[in-house]
């Protein structure tokens, strides 16, 4: 089975940095994804990690440590539009199915 | 980029009726699509894997006779909620693989369908 944990809510100020942690315990691992989801909309792909280390993509970076079952998503230079839910998802071995964490709601304040 | 279209975006129905939700891959072919369900402020829960030309694979605890899935072509999967009840009210989202990024097949999601059963 899959067990994926991430904080429920986080609040930060515009222009600041926020780090969203995700820990996972899975029966198989073939990559970790981060998605952004605005209320009532579809999740949109942000990043993917399958090897240990940091992946940087503009203002967003994602880190993975497979031995620790740990990942984080780093959002820099926060903007109001970054207020959304951020979903951590793990892919199992042998298929494309994703198991999602409950999501972290980030609120950016002026 | 890959686009997945889902229709309808919102539907309200009476208890006991059936509702069909369509999921289409617009610019790519998808032999496999996934159907998720999401409750307010909760995670996406995988319901089933839709396989083109064969039966869907349901996750444990999901009633296959309740949630009928048909994947008749490489670009269309449908989810039919049969004899809907108020507890079936939820946000249903489909997804399909269509983009390769960072060496991974990235799932693209439809915009979701909000079902309200009265």
């Amino acid at each position: 089975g899959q067990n994926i944990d991430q904080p429920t809510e986080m609040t930060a100020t515009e222009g600041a940095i926020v780090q969203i942690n995700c820990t996972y315990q899975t029966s198989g691992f073939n990559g970790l994804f981060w998605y952004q989801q605005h209320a009532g909309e579809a999740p949109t792909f942000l990043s993917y990690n399958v090897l240990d280390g940091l992946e940087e993509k503009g203002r967003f970076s994602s880190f993975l440590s497979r031995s620790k079952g740990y990942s984080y998503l780093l959002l820099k230079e926060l903007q109001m539009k970054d207020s959304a839910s951020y979903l951590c998802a793990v892919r199992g071995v042998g298929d494309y199915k994703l198991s999602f964490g409950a999501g972290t709601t980030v609120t950016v304040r002026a | 980029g890959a686009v997945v279209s889902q229709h309808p975006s919102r539907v309200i129905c009476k208890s006991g009726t059936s509702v069909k939700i369509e999921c289409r891959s617009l610019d790519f072919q998808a032999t496999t699509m996934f159907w998720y369900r999401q409750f307010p402020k909760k995670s996406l829960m995988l319901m089933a894997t839709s396989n083109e030309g064969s039966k869907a694979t349901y996750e444990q605890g999901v009633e296959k006779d309740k949630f009928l899935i048909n994947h008749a072509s490489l670009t269309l999967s449908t989810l039919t909620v049969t004899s809907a009840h108020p507890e079936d009210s939820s946000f249903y989202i489909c997804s399909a693989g269509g983009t390769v990024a960072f060496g991974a097949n990235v799932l693209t999601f439809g915009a979701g369908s909000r079902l309200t059963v009265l």
Side-chain angles (χ1 to χ4, degrees), chain B:
Chain B
V3 178
V4 174
S5 173
Q6 193 171 336
H7 177 80
S9 58
R10 293 179 181 273
V11 57
I12 300 173
C13 70
K14 293 182 179 180
S15 186
T17 61
S18 294
V19 174
K20 179 186 286 187
I21 301 170
E22 293 187 346
C23 179
R24 294 180 184 273
S25 56
L26 296 187
D27 50 1
F28 64 100
Q29 294 182 332
T31 56
T32 303
M33 293 185 178
F34 301 96
W35 286 96
Y36 288 85
R37 181 175 181 176
Q38 187 176 34
F39 292 101
K41 297 186 178 181
K42 297 293 185 182
S43 179
L44 292 164
M45 182 192 77
L46 180 64
M47 298 175 65
T49 302
S50 175
N51 305 300
E52 188 270 333
S54 64
K55 292 182 179 180
T57 305
Y58 290 82
E59 296 299 304
Q60 190 173 10
V62 178
E63 299 176 60
K64 60 181 181 181
D65 295 330
K66 174 76 172 174
F67 300 99
L68 299 179
I69 292 173
N70 183 279
H71 195 152
S73 77
L74 287 171
T75 60
L76 174 64
S77 174
T78 61
L79 168 68
T80 301
V81 182
T82 63
S83 186
H85 288 103
E87 57 264 31
D88 298 326
S89 298
S90 190
F91 194 51
Y92 294 88
I93 308 179
C94 70
S95 68
T99 304
V100 176
F102 302 93
N105 192 313
V106 176
L107 291 182
T108 299
F109 286 83
S113 300
R114 183 162 301 284
L115 170 64
T116 302
V117 184
L118 303 177

Side-chain angles (χ1 to χ4, degrees), chain A residues 30-44:
Chain A
N30 191 22
L32 187 143
F33 295 76
W34 284 95
Y35 280 82
Q36 179 192 60
Q37 185 181 26
H38 286 97
E41 298 181 8
T44 55

Side-chain angles (χ1 to χ4, degrees), chain A residues 23-102:
Chain A
T23 58
Y24 63 90
Q25 296 172 320
T26 59
S27 55
F29 179 83
N30 191 22
L32 187 143
F33 295 76
W34 284 95
Y35 280 82
Q36 179 192 60
Q37 185 181 26
H38 286 97
E41 298 181 8
T44 55
F45 169 75
L46 288 179
S47 69
Y48 166 73
N49 296 72
V50 68
L51 300 177
D52 291 350
L54 186 69
E55 293 284 349
E56 297 186 84
K57 189 179 178 184
R59 293 189 299 115
F60 296 169
S61 303
S62 58
F63 172 84
L64 175 68
S65 170
R66 289 172 296 170
S67 62
K68 296 181 180 178
Y70 167 71
S71 173
Y72 68 72
L73 178 69
L74 194 70
L75 286 64
K76 305 175 195 174
E77 301 171 17
L78 281 172
Q79 302 175 10
M80 300 299 287
K81 67 178 181 180
D82 296 330
S83 293
S85 180
Y86 292 85
L87 307 173
C88 173
V90 174
R91 170 179 290 165
V93 176
D95 55 41
Y96 293 125
K97 291 194 296 186
L98 292 180
S99 296
F100 284 84

